[in-house]
Amino acid sequence: MTALDLSSPVAVVGTGTMGQGIAQVALVAGHPVRLYDAAPGLAKKAAEAITARLDRLVAKGRLDADARAAAVGRLRTVDTTADLDGCGLVVEAVLERLDVKQRLFQELEEAVSEDCLLATNTSSLSVTAIAGALSRPGRFVGLHFFNPAPLLPLVEVVSGAATDEAAATRAYATAQAWGKTPVRCADTPGFIVNRVARPFYAEALRAYEEQVADPATIDAVLRECGGFAMGPFELTDLIGQDVNEAVTRSVWESFFQDPKFTPSLAQRRLVQAGRLGRKTGQGWYAYGDDAPRPAPHTAGPADAPEAVTVHGELFQAAALVGLIEGAGIRVDRDATQGGPYPGWIELPSGTRLSLVCGGSPHTAAAPTVEFDLALDYASATRIALARDVRVGDQGLSEAVGLFQALGKEVSVVRATPGLIVARTVAMLVDFAHDAVARGVATADDIDTAMRLGVNYPRGPLTWGTAVGLPWVAEFLDSVHGEYPTGRYAPSQGLRHAAAREENG
């Protein structure tokens, strides 16, 4: 099945920000575009806004003046859905209400030809449910663009329960012809991105609620140690706390209140207080010309130890050995320790320094300072440390000084099972494997969606392979032992994938 022919008009119904963006994408790709909005005058204003954006692209040298003139010539507004007859594709971007969308598509079904592809840009409603009101649901598909549509490459192509394979394939090919990177997925709550991304927000909020650290510190650790482009608190302020909380609540309710998707009371209170983020001037952070930005907690300078002893293999943190030696600190090795379990670094005080394991640090075999997982220990500029109740100030100071000698800022946080980055990454890996196992999308499409849709430094499936799926499963089992609610229990998809990896 090939993409929609460029001579075939594309209709966009709903002319808000997203509708305008989708219309611009189709126009620049070469299609005639018809704009319709039920509210009088909005389609015309949208056409003017699109024209102005094309003018700005010309001014910036990103669009040829002749191409701009041709695109504007292909754009027109219409007054009724009956005027959409002859279109090859209709994309809807109206209010996120099921009854509104169902009525609209019933009307569209009567207005357009039988071979016209019908698509919804919904981000939170079921594609199957919207199509349930149609007499011919096979031609109905989800085309979920990300905002701003002209800039972000990802498009989720969502097949409802009744969607014909030919319709989904044509939608995919059309998005690809428009210069987008489409991914295929089944109709599941949140589709790919909004489903798999939930732990990125949820684990940060959980850590905040448990007073592990303040928002600025959690954000800094996930950026500077985990490699994420933005921390979850600053990102939800950008998205809008009301929007992010509504998506979380929608996915949770759609999964029959599965504890893995439980919303945050702290975020709910922020929304109730009207602190919605940048758009209201206050969210987790204050905004404005004179608003101070809270700094992350950073430990003061400490002396590095002259020597440490590495017991066993550090596995996921193996790169630290070379970094420590490169900093001029002697590394002695204890070859008597071995086996499949991660080793540890012995500090001069006898304190153990070990990668976070997921269980309670207070039950370790010896006084222990845990350090967080890093995307890359060489390039990470910050590390989070947490000490168990038996570790004295000397042991903590040695741990802080050691990482400072490696050029890292150090944030000392409250001890909690899994710390910050490790727990977040492990849950993202688990959600991704669960989605693959349930047939939501392929592994490649999930990794692509998470990299392009939310700018993750790695796709979660690739990340899981990098740190080791058996380690991820064991880590989550340990966290589940501390929180036996089901939230952290490894999914069957992760368990099976870990077993396959372990057995070659």
Side-chain angles (χ1 to χ4, degrees):
M1 179 66 69
T2 57
L4 192 67
D5 190 271
L6 287 180
S7 64
S8 186
V10 173
V12 177
V13 179
T15 57
T17 301
M18 184 57 78
Q20 291 175 29
I22 296 169
Q24 181 179 329
V25 170
L27 265 182
V28 172
H31 287 274
V33 172
R34 300 178 190 173
L35 292 178
Y36 169 73
D37 199 297
L42 287 190
K44 183 178 179 181
K45 289 181 179 179
E48 293 169 351
I50 293 168
T51 301
R53 279 201 291 272
L54 295 177
D55 289 339
R56 289 196 292 272
L57 290 177
V58 172
K60 294 177 180 178
R62 297 178 184 173
L63 184 68
D64 181 82
D66 291 340
R68 174 262 178 211
V72 172
R74 293 191 300 271
L75 178 63
R76 71 183 181 94
T77 63
V78 299
D79 297 324
T80 68
T81 55
D83 296 322
L84 303 181
D85 184 27
C87 289
L89 167 65
V90 179
V91 185
E92 163 272 318
V94 302
L95 186 66
E96 285 287 273
R97 274 181 46 185
L98 179 61
D99 59 334
V100 172
K101 292 181 187 290
Q102 285 180 328
R103 285 196 300 270
L104 171 62
F105 279 107
Q106 286 174 323
E107 186 178 342
L108 288 169
E109 193 172 38
E110 296 298 319
V112 300
S113 63
E114 290 188 359
D115 60 352
C116 178
L117 192 63
L118 300 178
T120 175
N121 185 60
T122 186
S123 61
S124 61
L125 298 176
S126 165
V127 170
T128 301
I130 299 171
L134 300 179
S135 60
R136 296 184 63 249
R139 59 170 167 171
F140 189 82
V141 67
L143 272 180
H144 180 215
F145 290 78
F146 287 73
N147 194 29
L151 296 180
L152 295 187
L154 185 69
V155 177
E156 292 177 319
V157 180
V158 186
S159 292
T163 301
D164 292 335
E165 177 63 23
T169 301
R170 169 153 285 187
Y172 182 98
T174 299
Q176 198 168 47
W178 291 357
K180 296 301 180 182
T181 303
V183 292
R184 295 281 296 268
C185 66
D187 183 24
T188 184
F191 309 142
I192 298 174
V193 172
N194 280 331
R195 173 181 175 148
V196 177
R198 292 347 294 163
F200 181 68
Y201 312 108
E203 295 313 311
L205 289 162
R206 182 71 172 261
Y208 169 76
E209 290 173 339
E210 294 180 346
Q211 299 184 44
V212 173
D214 60 278
T217 300
I218 295 171
D219 275 354
V221 170
L222 283 161
R223 283 195 318 268
E224 300 167 33
C225 181
F228 292 94
M230 295 181 73
F233 293 98
E234 58 187 341
L235 181 55
T236 53
D237 268 359
L238 178 64
I239 295 169
Q241 297 301 330
D242 53 338
V243 174
N244 183 260
E245 202 264 349
V247 172
T248 299
R249 187 168 294 276
S250 173
V251 173
W252 174 63
E253 290 173 349
S254 297
F255 277 112
F256 308 105
Q257 301 185 356
D258 186 326
K260 283 183 176 286
F261 297 94
T262 302
S264 162
L265 180 59
Q267 189 176 39
R268 175 97 287 255
R269 292 289 181 259
L270 204 67
V271 172
Q272 290 172 334
R275 297 185 170 189
L276 307 183
R278 289 180 179 270
K279 61 187 176 184
T280 61
Q282 177 72 54
W284 294 110
Y285 305 110
Y287 298 91
D289 294 339
D290 56 351
R293 184 63 179 266
H297 170 76
T298 302
D303 294 331
E306 294 182 359
V308 298
T309 301
V310 175
H311 297 267
E313 297 294 329
L314 299 185
F315 296 110
Q316 292 80 8
L320 286 176
V321 176
L323 295 175
I324 294 170
E325 290 176 326
I329 299 170
R330 191 179 79 247
V331 176
D332 300 321
R333 290 176 173 81
D334 178 5
T336 64
Q337 300 293 327
Y341 300 103
W344 69 91
I345 299 169
E346 182 181 347
L347 299 170
S349 62
T351 301
R352 287 187 178 186
L353 181 62
S354 64
L355 176 65
V356 59
C357 67
S360 172
H362 309 306
T363 60
T368 300
V369 174
E370 290 189 329
F371 59 89
D372 215 339
L373 182 69
L375 174 68
D376 174 15
Y377 284 103
S379 61
T381 57
R382 182 177 298 271
I383 197 78
L385 302 181
R387 61 171 164 177
D388 77 45
V389 294
R390 299 164 296 173
V391 175
D393 290 345
Q394 180 61 32
L396 178 62
S397 179
E398 290 170 350
V400 170
L402 177 64
F403 278 102
Q404 288 176 341
L406 307 185
K408 319 296 183 191
E409 301 277 12
V410 177
S411 291
V412 178
V413 303
R414 183 176 179 179
T416 190
L419 285 182
I420 298 170
V421 177
R423 199 159 87 181
T424 299
V425 170
M427 288 292 281
L428 289 171
V429 172
D430 182 68
F431 274 45
H433 275 282
D434 180 60
V436 171
R438 293 176 185 271
V440 172
T442 66
D444 285 345
D445 275 357
I446 289 173
D447 270 0
T448 297
M450 302 314 291
R451 285 187 297 101
L452 299 183
V454 278
N455 200 25
Y456 285 179
R458 280 179 179 159
L461 292 148
T462 299
W463 213 333
T465 300
V467 298
L469 295 181
W471 180 83
V472 176
E474 184 176 353
F475 175 90
L476 287 176
D477 265 328
S478 296
V479 180
H480 173 60
E482 300 296 322
Y483 304 96
T485 63
R487 177 185 179 116
Y488 298 104
S491 67
Q492 288 302 304
L494 175 59
R495 290 191 188 279
H496 292 160
R500 287 195 297 271
E501 182 179 304
E502 203 161 28
N503 291 288

